[in-house]
Amino acid sequence: MPTTTSPPTGLSGDDLARLAEHWGERPSLRTWLSTTDHKRIGRRYLVTAGFFFVLAGISALVMRTQLARPESGVVSPQEYNQLFTMHGTAMIFLFATPMLFGFGNFLVPLMIGARDMAFPRLNAFGYWVFLFAGLFMWASVPFGAAPNNGWFAYAPLNQLQHNPGLHMDIYSLGLLFLGISTTSASINFIVTAFKLRAPGMSLNRVPLFVWAIVATSFMVIFALPALNADNALLFLDRRFGAHFFDPAGGGNVLLWQHLFWIFGHPDVYIIVMPGLGIVSAVLPAFTRRGVVGYPLIVLAIVAISIISFGVWVHHMFATGLPQLSYSFFSAASTIITIPSGLQIFAWLATMLLGRLVLRVPLLYVIGFIVTFVLGGFTGAMFALTAFDQQTTDSYFVVAHFHYVLIGGAVFPMLAGIYFWLPKITGRMYHEGLGRWAFWLVFAGMHVTFFPMHLTGLFGMPRRIYTYRSEPGWDGWSLVSTAGSYLLALGLLLVLAGIVHTLWRGRPAPPDPWQADTLEWTAASPPEPYNFPVIPRVHSLHPAWDERTAESTGAGATEDRILSEGKRTLFTSELDARYERAVEMPESSFKPLVLAGALLVFFATMLFAWYPVALAAVLAVAATIAAWLWPPRRPVEELGVAT
């Protein structure tokens, strides 16, 4: 890939050579398996999540083909149940959050002026676990053993007596396995964002995308234990007869829903929040001004993160709980629209007050605003208990959450792909091909999902394998299927555009957009060490600030200290003042070995090979011990003057 010249620095040629030696990785299979470079890991997250997205998209096309006409027989009922379960599970757990965390992996250290994540080996471990967990779940499809009870896996249909076979065991173990990756990534993002920021990047100068990633990470840490508990109890029910969700044994089916949605509703914002951060990152480059209301947007991000944990019964208005309790959750579901709406108005004000440069990333931002606002309107309708009870389990619900998730996550992702593709690859995308892809994706999305509002209001239930000819269902179902193929064509053009960029794109300068954040001051693609000199930040828009640009050539004593090893800076949490320089770990096979041992454990638990599972536990313990074993020489920590 082409590499542009890094900005001039005050370091000597010998200093730069030492940096390249300490941080560089020679191309080899060994390096590929052991790398801890956040940029390589970020790219792997993006590619792997994209692969799972393709599999889930193919599942959706098969389902839409089955539902195009009444009483169709494209797939059997059993195959359909597995397809729609894997489609939802993959889109929620294996695509949306990992893809957005892939952006975070690549960009957060660059945006805050760091040279890597706080825990590089933990970062690599999280990726390998994500890859193995995804393959663990998708490998069940060719054998007809895939999860088959919906991505929500409601009790009592998830119980062994109603659902024999390995289907739901794969679901519970797969999500428990995947949760290890998501949790480790979240911890890493939080520590990185608070401790590795460039000097001067106080909390009121942190990019909004980084705020969104940090808020998402805190939400994951507090929400995921409920889902993990749910899946652990389900596995105990199915394998050891524990009866947590079996009424015949004294269990309660609603316990599953409470635990699941305590995770599930914050998860909507876990998925959407980084997308909102991408929008806030893209807009300044194409409006030529900072985002209006930065402090209010940060407060909105924090408010959404907190309020989302008080909304879970919003998904249970038809379960027969006391009506009084519904009123509190209905109010919370309505209140959470306020901080979301605040961000929408801030973005609109930014576009109205700025000078628009209409490139492909901005087109996707505009498409996001249109689609997300429409999804927000129907979301406010579901906050009303009476309306929710009338439309629950209908295609109106399917339309709503696709508008929210495609509008709130996929459109920002596509904006981010086109926006950061020059930085990631070092090459520029084809503008004309990108515009064609946008219009096909935008039209295909609305042609697919808008008619579902109508079929839902006409009484068409969700999760059905086939249906008889009914007034208002047939024609609109066919239109939705046609729209799904149009959407797939648009996404195929996006992929074609990425391939064209890699093979034929012209070399990209460090900052083709005149953007405002620090990643655009690095080379395209960035050097292994990101920045020859850790920048000094003086404003919210460091790439537009001459003092920050001048600081990259300072050549201070601490910069030379940082060039003498694989080192980065630790700074204070609030004001980002110098604390010390720390040695970063070298690449290692331990993350891959530990993830592989966990894969063996979950696979053997699935097939009840308990002696092998015990051996895998011992291997996990031994690998962790080797990982944490102190080096022969103490790690040097260098004091840096404040």
Side-chain angles (χ1 to χ4, degrees):
M1 291 185 294
T3 304
T4 57
T5 304
S6 299
T9 73
L11 298 181
S12 67
D14 290 341
D15 292 331
L16 292 175
R18 283 196 298 271
L19 273 176
E21 178 184 354
H22 293 309
W23 289 90
E25 296 177 333
R26 296 177 181 177
S28 67
L29 178 61
R30 175 187 178 89
T31 299
W32 193 88
L33 294 173
S34 63
T35 183
T36 56
D37 184 348
H38 75 96
K39 298 177 291 297
R40 299 183 72 173
I41 293 169
R43 288 194 293 264
R44 290 179 186 182
Y45 266 107
L46 295 174
V47 172
T48 307
F51 172 69
F52 292 141
F53 175 75
V54 170
L55 295 179
I58 293 172
S59 302
L61 285 179
V62 174
M63 290 189 292
R64 283 313 320 167
T65 304
Q66 166 68 22
L67 294 171
R69 302 301 301 163
E71 300 181 4
S72 181
V74 176
V75 291
S76 68
Q78 294 77 18
E79 292 169 335
Y80 186 88
N81 283 343
Q82 293 181 41
L83 285 173
F84 97 80
T85 301
M86 283 305 298
H87 167 74
T89 303
M91 286 297 192
I92 296 294
F93 297 107
L94 298 176
F95 163 64
T97 300
M99 175 68 82
L100 292 163
F101 273 15
F103 281 110
N105 258 282
F106 191 94
L107 293 166
V108 166
L110 287 163
M111 281 188 165
I112 65 174
R115 286 182 170 157
D116 208 327
M117 298 286 283
F119 307 116
R121 290 182 296 182
L122 185 66
N123 199 27
F125 168 72
Y127 168 74
W128 290 117
V129 169
F130 160 58
L131 174 64
F132 292 158
L135 295 177
F136 175 85
M137 299 188 75
W138 275 106
S140 63
V141 174
F143 300 99
N148 59 354
N149 193 36
W151 76 276
F152 39 80
Y154 281 164
L157 296 180
N158 58 16
Q159 296 294 292
L160 188 62
Q161 62 269 33
H162 302 298
N163 199 330
L166 295 176
H167 304 279
M168 298 311 296
D169 296 322
I170 292 171
Y171 175 93
S172 58
L173 290 174
L175 292 189
L176 283 169
F177 190 14
L178 182 64
I180 297 172
S181 169
T182 314
T183 303
S184 63
S186 299
I187 294 170
N188 213 349
F189 280 128
I190 291 170
V191 178
T192 300
F194 279 109
K195 293 302 299 177
L196 267 65
R197 301 196 309 278
M201 186 176 280
S202 53
L203 289 183
N204 61 336
R205 295 173 180 171
V206 173
L208 288 168
F209 176 76
V210 178
W211 273 112
I213 290 290
V214 170
T216 300
S217 300
F218 274 110
M219 293 170 72
V220 166
I221 289 173
F222 285 103
L224 199 57
L227 179 67
N228 290 337
D230 232 2
N231 282 301
L233 297 179
L234 174 60
F235 187 74
L236 292 174
D237 268 14
R238 292 178 58 85
R239 189 58 59 87
F240 302 107
H243 303 295
F244 286 103
F245 308 115
D246 182 9
N252 191 330
V253 296
L254 287 186
L255 174 61
W256 172 273
Q257 290 197 40
H258 279 294
L259 288 173
F260 186 87
W261 290 118
I262 286 173
F263 157 81
H265 197 86
D267 189 52
V268 173
Y269 295 98
I270 288 170
I271 293 170
V272 169
M273 190 78 77
L276 307 185
I278 290 175
V279 172
S280 294
V282 170
L283 273 179
F286 299 100
T287 59
R288 299 296 188 257
R289 60 154 297 133
V291 177
V292 171
Y294 171 90
L296 293 178
I297 293 179
V298 174
L299 290 175
I301 290 171
V302 174
I304 290 172
S305 304
I306 296 171
I307 298 171
S308 65
F309 282 88
V311 188
W312 81 88
V313 178
H314 164 102
H315 297 268
M316 302 172 63
F317 282 166
T319 57
L321 295 174
Q323 290 292 327
L324 180 61
S325 66
Y326 289 162
S327 62
F328 295 102
F329 290 96
S330 178
S333 301
T334 304
I335 290 171
I336 203 170
T337 62
I338 296 174
S340 301
L342 179 64
Q343 294 187 72
I344 296 290
F345 285 114
W347 295 322
L348 292 175
T350 303
M351 288 192 284
L352 287 172
L353 296 174
R355 295 185 296 108
L356 296 186
V357 180
L358 203 61
R359 302 291 292 271
V360 172
L362 185 60
L363 287 176
Y364 278 106
V365 167
I366 295 170
F368 148 78
I369 292 175
V370 172
T371 308
F372 191 62
V373 167
L374 290 174
F377 279 136
T378 53
M381 294 163 70
F382 280 118
L384 304 176
T385 308
F387 180 85
D388 183 276
Q389 290 176 337
Q390 291 298 314
T391 56
T392 191
D393 285 336
S394 75
Y395 258 85
F396 195 94
V397 181
V398 179
H400 159 69
F401 72 68
H402 278 90
Y403 263 76
V404 170
L405 295 183
I406 293 180
V410 176
F411 274 84
M413 283 180 200
L414 294 172
I417 287 172
Y418 283 101
F419 183 55
W420 283 299
L421 200 58
K423 183 59 58 180
I424 294 172
T425 67
R427 295 184 180 273
M428 297 298 296
Y429 66 84
H430 189 282
E431 184 72 22
L433 193 58
R435 288 174 182 264
W436 272 104
F438 165 75
W439 287 112
L440 287 173
V441 169
F442 184 77
M445 187 272 159
H446 288 278
V447 173
T448 302
F449 297 106
F450 187 81
M452 293 182 186
H453 293 98
L454 303 177
T455 54
L457 292 175
F458 294 154
M460 186 173 183
R462 62 195 292 196
R463 308 172 198 144
I464 56 172
Y465 150 74
T466 190
Y467 57 95
R468 293 183 178 180
S469 181
E470 294 284 349
W473 294 11
D474 301 12
W476 288 121
S477 293
L478 183 60
V479 170
S480 288
T481 299
S484 68
Y485 279 90
L486 186 64
L487 176 59
L489 178 60
L491 293 170
L492 191 61
L493 272 185
V494 172
L495 179 60
I498 294 172
V499 173
H500 179 275
T501 300
L502 294 172
W503 288 96
R504 300 290 298 275
R506 59 184 175 85
D511 184 7
W513 314 124
Q514 289 79 55
D516 66 324
T517 41
L518 277 178
E519 76 271 22
W520 299 106
T521 65
S524 295
E527 301 287 354
Y529 44 80
N530 291 349
F531 303 96
V533 172
I534 301 295
R536 279 71 172 159
V537 176
H538 299 277
S539 71
L540 179 58
H541 310 287
W544 292 346
D545 187 89
E546 291 183 1
R547 291 172 297 172
T548 299
E550 291 170 356
S551 74
T552 62
T557 302
E558 56 267 21
D559 297 325
R560 292 194 172 87
I561 291 174
L562 290 173
S563 71
E564 292 172 357
K566 193 174 182 181
R567 295 166 182 160
T568 193
L569 282 179
F570 266 23
T571 53
S572 61
E573 294 84 353
L574 297 180
D575 297 328
R577 296 181 182 274
Y578 290 120
E579 286 189 346
R580 63 185 185 275
V582 292
E583 199 85 23
M584 303 299 283
E586 299 294 334
S587 58
S588 172
F589 285 104
K590 295 184 182 72
L592 174 59
V593 172
L594 181 56
L598 286 170
L599 174 62
V600 172
F601 169 75
F602 283 101
T604 52
M605 288 296 291
L606 178 66
F607 295 107
W609 300 339
Y610 299 125
V612 183
L614 178 59
V617 170
L618 296 177
V620 167
T623 307
I624 293 175
W627 185 329
L628 299 178
W629 196 264
R632 293 181 180 179
R633 292 188 307 169
V635 175
E636 182 182 9
E637 293 191 357
L638 304 171
V640 180
T642 59

